[in-house]
Amino acid sequence: METSNPIDELSPEEIHIEAIEGFHLGGTRYSASFELSDHDEEYFRSYLLEIDFGKTLTFTIRKQIEKTFMSHASLAVDRHLALQIGGKMHDLTPDGDSITNLPEGVLRRIYHIDGGPQYVVGDEGVCYLRDGGAWELVPPLNDLALSDIHGPSPDLIHACGDEGTVLRLRGRAWEQIELPDQRSFTTLEVTNEGLVHLGGTDGLALALRDGELIELAAPERDFFCIRSFKGRRYWSDANWGLNIQDGDNVVPFRELRHAFAMHTSPEKLVVAGWKEIFVFDGTEWSGFQFGYDGNIFLSRLDMTRYGG
């Protein structure tokens, strides 16, 4: 474990905390990643934690690096992927940890299908996939950045990005989906039926149904992630919190202040906030936040402070 870092010389008041991603792993078990930095963002330290969020709140540090984690994914209770800035993919397994260098582009976001392939996308149209073997580069169609990738099965994997980019993965090659809208997309969700929803900045919210692009009525917020949970579709945004889709409208749902990456299990929707991980079971809210007082710690959230 790396230990030499100017962050160790800073007071807690000089440390900035930022959540990255959180996953529900069944029962009271979760994983979560977050980053410490100085306020000038010159120095960084990132953590991936395995957490028991039961009657007591406990955690173990699964991985610590003196760099930035861009994204992480939990493939199982005891297996995780963590993407370090610079294209280093950490594979954390019970049999030992390894690092794979993925040299093309600036990679930003991991996605995986439960029990299936893993994907990572980034700038310059770059995407890597791994399906039981080594990571493979999917040949880019162009140099436009890819911001998100999603799909319920390998034959429904789509990616979105700059200048109206929406792609569908056919085997190991991209197929362009031509759209009349050339605005840039930050997030998408694909259903089992092939319905695609797309989100972006300034309230950009679209549905692609049977080849027809439909604009949804939405507040002027910067949408970061779209996920369906227990029959409802949720849209996170960096400006206010969590929104919910009602027909062709995206409407405010819970004022979490900031809401970024979202992941679902059959029982929980997990939302990464600024330094919080919010947990929703469809009825009740809970969560925890990251803290630093010279050492890292977790504390339970008082949800009445977050739109309750």
Side-chain angles (χ1 to χ4, degrees):
M1 182 182 295
E2 303 172 62
T3 57
S4 179
N5 191 319
I7 281 180
D8 293 323
E9 307 302 319
L10 300 177
S11 68
E13 293 75 22
E14 297 174 288
I15 295 294
H16 176 78
I17 303 171
E18 185 169 345
I20 302 171
E21 317 229 20
F23 288 82
H24 178 232
L25 305 179
T28 61
R29 303 184 74 172
Y30 293 79
S31 70
S33 51
F34 72 104
E35 174 186 272
L36 304 181
S37 66
D38 65 293
H39 289 305
D40 294 327
E41 296 189 334
E42 295 180 357
Y43 312 112
F44 301 90
R45 174 175 291 155
S46 297
Y47 297 89
L48 194 158
L49 306 183
E50 294 177 339
I51 299 161
D52 189 335
F53 186 32
K55 291 183 178 179
T56 59
L57 176 58
T58 60
F59 69 90
T60 59
I61 299 173
R62 182 60 184 85
K63 190 67 178 180
Q64 174 185 328
I65 64 169
E66 307 306 297
K67 301 287 185 180
T68 293
F69 278 147
M70 304 293 290
S71 179
H72 106 261
S74 288
L75 312 184
V77 171
D78 55 0
R79 185 178 177 193
H80 315 278
L81 292 175
L83 175 63
Q84 178 181 325
I85 190 170
K88 295 182 183 296
M89 184 67 78
H90 294 257
D91 203 343
L92 312 178
T93 77
D95 297 326
D97 300 347
S98 61
I99 300 175
T100 302
N101 290 314
L102 305 177
E104 299 296 325
V106 178
L107 300 173
R108 300 189 182 278
R109 193 175 291 191
I110 302 171
Y111 174 70
H112 78 285
I113 296 173
D114 288 342
Q118 302 105 51
Y119 308 83
V120 58
V121 295
D123 293 355
E124 300 175 6
V126 171
C127 171
Y128 286 90
L129 73 85
R130 184 175 68 174
D131 188 6
W135 288 97
E136 304 174 53
L137 178 67
V138 179
L141 276 187
N142 52 49
D143 61 358
L144 295 174
L146 299 178
S147 57
D148 199 8
I149 184 167
H150 186 263
S153 60
D155 62 329
L156 283 172
I157 288 293
H158 290 63
C160 68
D162 286 356
E163 299 179 24
T165 296
V166 179
L167 310 176
R168 181 169 180 173
L169 192 59
R170 301 286 193 179
R172 297 295 192 270
W174 289 116
E175 173 186 87
Q176 180 94 31
I177 298 176
E178 299 294 341
L179 297 181
D181 197 313
Q182 298 302 299
R183 289 175 288 181
S184 293
F185 305 121
T186 56
T187 183
L188 85 168
E189 184 204 45
V190 185
T191 69
N192 287 316
E193 298 74 30
L195 175 64
V196 179
H197 283 85
L198 298 154
T201 60
D202 300 322
L204 176 57
L206 304 172
L208 184 59
R209 300 174 186 152
D210 299 321
E212 181 183 3
L213 193 63
I214 299 166
E215 184 137 11
L216 309 180
E220 292 188 7
R221 294 174 182 151
D222 297 335
F223 294 118
F224 191 90
C225 191
I226 309 166
R227 288 293 181 268
S228 292
F229 175 66
K230 294 189 176 180
R232 305 299 303 272
R233 180 170 294 109
Y234 297 89
W235 298 62
S236 67
D237 77 73
N239 320 91
W240 184 83
L242 193 63
N243 308 272
I244 195 166
Q245 190 169 335
D246 181 9
D248 286 346
N249 300 284
V250 178
V251 297
F253 180 65
R254 180 97 184 202
E255 190 176 3
L256 303 177
R257 304 174 192 164
H258 309 281
F260 298 99
M262 297 191 291
H263 298 285
T264 63
S265 71
E267 299 86 18
K268 307 288 185 182
L269 172 68
V270 182
V271 184
W274 191 254
K275 58 180 179 179
E276 306 93 352
I277 298 293
F278 301 103
V279 178
F280 183 52
D281 67 4
T283 303
E284 300 293 332
W285 283 91
S286 61
F288 52 87
Q289 69 177 7
F290 307 106
Y292 180 77
D293 61 3
N295 295 295
I296 62 169
F297 63 90
L298 301 182
S299 57
R300 292 178 185 272
L301 294 177
D302 175 1
M303 289 304 301
T304 63
R305 300 177 58 199
Y306 298 91

